[in-house]
Amino acid sequence: MPAKKKKKKLKKKEIERFKKKILAERERILRELGRIGESINQASEGSEGSKQSYSNHMADLGTDYMEKEKNYYYASQEGHYLKSLDQALERIERGEYGKCLECDDLISLKRLDVVPGAKLCIACKSKHEKRGR
Ligand SMILES: [Zn+2]
């Protein structure tokens, strides 16, 4: 626990706002990513119990191909973004959202508005970028 009483935390209201934003963003991306799965998912559209035939079908189609396809999407920008949003949600759950992972300072709300999944404050982020990578 910090010695000083200075509370470096986003207001609950703000967090709620970002959470909604993140969830909406996440849904949008998932829907977008879901497009690749559409043709395959048609086979499993039936009942809940069709998971079995689903995987059989997958085997027919070639899981390798699907894996590659999936990895491709996860490696894409959207995929990275999705991951950052997921992690942001985790941080919300832990009450750590909005804090810079490096210097523990609050990330500006303006920045979070643009990059809801931001993990670093501007200062740390640009430090990283200068370091290359
Ligand atoms: Zn920082």
Side-chain angles (χ1 to χ4, degrees), residues 20-30 81 85 116:
K20 262 188 216 147
K21 195 182 167 102
I22 290 170
L23 287 173
E25 275 290 280
R26 207 170 157 268
E27 206 161 293
R28 183 183 66 81
I29 295 169
L30 283 175
Y81 189 39
L85 293 178

Side-chain angles (χ1 to χ4, degrees), residues 106-118:
L106 275 186
I107 301 169
S108 77
L109 292 178
K110 236 199 255 166
R111 175 160 161 69
L112 288 173
D113 255 330
V114 182
V115 195

Side-chain angles (χ1 to χ4, degrees), residues 100 102-105 120-121 123-124:
C100 172
E102 203 146 294
C103 67
D104 219 30
D105 230 336
L120 298 172
C121 67
C124 293

Side-chain angles (χ1 to χ4, degrees), residues 120-131:
L120 298 172
C121 67
I122 295 259
C124 293
K125 172 85 178 162
S126 56
K127 230 179 356 190
H128 272 258
E129 269 162 15
K130 250 176 235 157
R131 234 180 272 158

